[in-house]
C-alpha cells in the first residue's frame, strides 16, 4: 500500500481524536451539566450530545473509512459491506435514541420543537442518513440489484455519504454552541469564556479535526480498496466478454494453424 505509514498515522490520530471527543462529551455532561438519566429533565437531554457525537460522528467516521483499512483488503467485499452496513446501522440507532431524548425533554419542559437551524439541519441529516442506509442495503448489499444500477448509483452513494457526514459535523458545532448560549448565564455567560465554554469549544475543535482527517483519508485515490476479481468480472462484463471471445477466437486460430502445420508435414513426408 502506497503511503502506508502516513495512512497508519492518520488512522491512529482519527481514532484518538474520535475517542477524545466522546470522552470530552461525557466529562461535559457529567461534570459541568446534570449528568445522565431518563427522567424528562436536563439529565435526559444530555443523552443527546453524548449519543450524537458517539454514533453520528465517531462511529459514522469509522464506517466511512473501513473500506480503506489495508489489512482488510484480503477480506471479501461482501464481508466489508456487512461491516460497513452494521456500523452505519449502529450509528443511526444511537442518533434515533438521541432524538427521542431531546424531544422527550422538550415536551416535558414545554419547550417548542424544531424552531432552530440546528434542529432543522439535524433532523434532515438523520432522515437523509436513513434513506442512504436503506438505499445502500437494497442496492449494494442485497444480490438482486443489476450491475448497471449499482454503477449508476455508486457515485451518488459516495457523495451523499460524505455530504451527510460533513453536515453532521456542522450540526454538532451549531448544537453545542446553542447549548452553551442557553445554559451559561451571567456572571458566567458564554461571552465571558468561563471554564465550561473553553472546554466545550475544545470539544468542537476535536470534532472538526476528526472529521477533516476522515474526509482526507477517504478521498485519497491511492488508499482506495482495489477491485477484487469478482468485481472486475461484474463491473466490466462487456470487456470480459470481449476478451473471452478474443480468447476463444485465438484458440480456434491456433487449432487451425496446428491442423494446417500437421497437414503440411504429412504432405512433405
Amino acid at each position: 500500500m502506497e503511503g502506508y505509514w502516513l495512512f497508519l498515522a492518520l488512522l491512529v490520530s482519527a481514532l484518538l481524536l474520535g475517542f477524545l471527543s466522546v470522552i470530552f462529551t461525557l466529562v461535559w455532561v457529567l461534570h459541568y451539566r446534570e449528568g445522565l438519566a431518563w427522567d424528562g429533565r436536563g439529565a435526559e437531554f444530555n443523552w443527546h450530545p453524548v449519543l450524537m457525537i458517539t454514533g453520528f460522528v465517531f462511529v459514522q467516521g469509522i464506517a466511512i473509512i473501513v473500506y480503506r483499512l489495508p489489512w482488510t483488503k484480503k477480506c471479501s467485499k461482501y464481508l466489508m459491506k456487512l461491516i460497513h452496513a452494521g456500523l452505519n446501522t449502529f450509528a443511526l440507532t444511537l442518533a434515533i435514541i438521541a432524538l427521542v431524548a431531546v424531544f422527550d425533554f422538550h415536551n416535558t419542559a414545554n419547550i417548542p420543537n424544531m424552531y432552530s437551524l440546528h434542529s432543522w439541519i439535524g433532523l434532515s441529516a438523520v432522515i437523509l442518513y436513513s434513506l442512504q442506509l436503506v438505499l445502500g442495503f437494497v442496492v449494494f448489499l442485497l444480490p438482486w440489484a443489476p450491475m448497471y444500477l449499482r454503477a449508476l448509483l455508486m457515485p451518488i452513494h459516495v457523495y451523499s455519504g460524505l455530504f451527510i457526514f460533513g453536515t453532521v459535523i456542522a450540526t454538532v458545532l451549531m448544537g453545542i454552541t446553542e447549548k452553551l448560549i442557553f445554559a451559561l448565564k451571567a456572571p458566567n455567560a458564554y461571552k465571558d469564556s468561563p471554564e465550561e465554554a473553553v472546554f466545550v469549544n475544545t470539544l468542537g475543535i476535536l470534532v472538526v479535526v476528526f472529521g477533516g482527517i476522515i474526509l482526507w483519508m477517504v478521498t485519497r485515490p491511492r488508499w482506495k480498496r482495489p477491485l477484487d476479481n469478482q468485481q472486475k468480472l461484474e463491473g466490466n462484463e462487456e470487456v470480459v466478454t470481449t476478451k473471452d471471445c478474443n480468447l476463444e477466437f485465438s484458440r480456434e486460430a491456433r487449432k487451425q494453424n496446428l491442423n494446417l502445420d500437421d497437414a503440411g508435414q504429412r504432405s512433405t513426408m
Side-chain angles (χ1 to χ4, degrees), residues 49-113:
V50 169
L51 295 179
M52 281 297 185
I53 290 178
T54 301
F56 231 23
V57 175
F58 186 40
V59 177
Q60 184 186 176
I62 300 304
I64 288 174
I65 63 170
V66 71
Y67 284 118
R68 299 295 194 272
L69 302 180
W71 44 86
T72 64
K73 297 192 186 301
K74 293 184 179 179
C75 300
S76 70
K77 184 63 178 294
Y78 186 73
L79 174 61
M80 300 312 300
K81 286 181 180 181
L82 289 176
I83 295 174
H84 179 71
L87 289 172
N88 280 302
T89 301
F90 181 56
L92 179 61
T93 302
L94 295 184
I96 291 174
I97 297 174
L99 286 180
V100 172
V102 72
F103 276 110
D104 189 48
F105 165 73
H106 279 190
N107 294 334
T108 302
N110 293 320
I111 298 175
N113 292 305

Side-chain angles (χ1 to χ4, degrees), residues 197-209:
V198 174
F199 184 84
V200 178
N201 285 348
T202 305
L203 166 62
I205 293 174
L206 292 175
V207 170
V208 169
V209 178

Side-chain angles (χ1 to χ4, degrees), residues 116-212:
S116 67
L117 182 61
H118 166 73
S119 60
W120 288 10
I121 297 180
L123 185 59
S124 299
V126 173
I127 293 173
L128 289 175
Y129 193 76
S130 304
L131 295 175
Q132 170 88 341
L133 186 60
V134 172
L135 177 67
F137 183 81
V138 172
V139 175
F140 300 106
L141 193 61
L142 297 181
W144 54 63
M147 285 309 305
Y148 75 87
L149 181 61
R150 294 186 181 186
L152 177 66
L153 294 180
M154 177 58 74
I156 301 174
H157 182 74
V158 172
Y159 172 78
S160 59
L162 298 181
F163 174 77
I164 292 169
F165 182 67
T167 301
V168 168
I169 298 295
T171 306
V172 166
L173 299 181
M174 287 189 290
I176 61 177
T177 302
E178 181 181 293
K179 177 63 178 178
L180 288 175
I181 292 173
F182 289 161
L184 298 178
K185 305 297 182 183
N188 294 315
Y190 187 30
K191 65 182 180 63
D192 298 319
S193 298
E195 180 182 329
E196 181 181 354
V198 174
F199 184 84
V200 178
N201 285 348
T202 305
L203 166 62
I205 293 174
L206 292 175
V207 170
V208 169
V209 178
F210 171 78

